[in-house]
């Protein structure tokens, strides 16, 4: 997508770090598009649009690995934000607590999945941070995939 829009491969940019490539408002990278969060969806059908769908299991695992995992010896940026956020969202009725033996709060995979399951069971998944938010509550909340011009998977050839 980057090569199509910007006329050069992303690798040629030698770009790392924030703002990330998936932040379409990142003007350091995305110079040929204007991306803004829509509030008026009334004329959506009249505009070209694209959406990338990611396998939900991959998203869940990726969010765990990049935001809350205990499977690291180094603190990941976000541990101190996302772990307490998840535990706060699940509420005091949960018996799950963060591990802190590594010097930072983290969740083992089974705890993380249990927290997400409890949040979903409480009907509170719409309050999740965008890293954990189900896709149907993100870009497909107001407009279903069938109304987008192009919808493809992250790993898709198109």
């Amino acid at each position: 997508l980057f090569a199509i829009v910007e006329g050069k491969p992303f690798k040629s940019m030698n770009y790392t770090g924030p703002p990330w490539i998936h932040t379409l408002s990142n003007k350091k990278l995305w110079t040929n598009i204007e991306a803004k969060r829509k509030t008026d969806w009334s004329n959506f059908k009249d505009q070209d649009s694209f959406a990338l769908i990611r396998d939900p299991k991959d998203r869940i695992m990726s969010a765990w690995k990049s935001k809350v995992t205990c499977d690291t010896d180094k603190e990941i940026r976000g541990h101190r934000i996302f772990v307490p956020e998840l535990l706060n969202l699940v509420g005091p009725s949960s018996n799950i607590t963060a591990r802190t033996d590594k010097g930072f709060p983290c969740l083992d995979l089974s705890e993380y999945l249990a927290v997400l399951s409890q949040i979903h069971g409480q009907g509170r998944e719409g309050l999740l941070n965008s890293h954990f938010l189900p896709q149907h509550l993100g870009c497909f909340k107001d407009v279903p995939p069938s109304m987008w011009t192009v919808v493809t998977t992250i790993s898709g050839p198109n």
Side-chain angles (χ1 to χ4, degrees):
L1 178 64
F2 184 84
I4 292 168
V5 172
E6 297 298 324
K8 58 189 167 197
F10 177 69
K11 286 183 180 183
S12 71
M13 299 292 292
N14 294 320
Y15 186 88
T16 59
W20 311 109
I21 188 171
H22 58 271
T23 306
L24 297 180
S25 59
N26 174 355
K27 292 298 181 192
K28 289 181 183 178
L29 292 174
W30 297 100
T31 59
N32 294 324
I33 62 170
E34 182 179 340
K36 15 182 203 181
R37 187 164 301 277
K38 285 189 88 44
T39 54
D40 177 12
W41 296 91
S42 60
N43 65 345
F44 185 79
K45 281 182 159 182
D46 302 328
Q47 301 173 351
D48 288 332
S49 59
F50 71 90
L52 299 173
I53 296 178
R54 194 163 176 203
D55 180 283
K57 291 176 283 197
D58 289 346
R59 277 192 84 225
I60 289 170
M61 292 303 295
S62 175
W64 173 69
K65 288 177 186 176
S66 69
K67 304 299 176 206
V68 299
T69 184
C70 291
D71 285 355
T72 181
D73 291 326
K74 290 178 19 181
E75 182 174 356
I76 296 172
R77 194 164 58 116
H79 267 127
R80 295 183 191 276
I81 297 168
F82 296 119
V83 173
E85 245 180 40
L86 286 170
L87 293 175
N88 185 49
L89 190 55
V90 77
S93 63
S94 173
N95 60 355
I96 299 171
T97 57
R99 276 183 48 193
T100 56
D101 57 300
K102 296 199 171 221
F104 51 85
C106 63
L107 294 171
D108 288 319
L109 179 58
S110 60
E111 294 166 332
Y112 167 69
L113 294 174
V115 165
L116 287 182
S117 176
Q118 289 176 31
I119 290 169
H120 282 257
Q122 296 168 3
R124 303 187 79 197
E125 63 272 22
L127 301 174
L128 286 163
N129 173 283
S130 63
H131 297 287
F132 309 101
L133 187 71
Q135 293 170 99
H136 73 280
L137 297 176
C139 61
F140 300 124
K141 180 178 179 187
D142 297 299
V143 180
S146 61
M147 291 180 65
W148 291 70
T149 308
V150 175
V151 179
T152 189
T153 63
I154 292 268
S155 59
N158 301 321

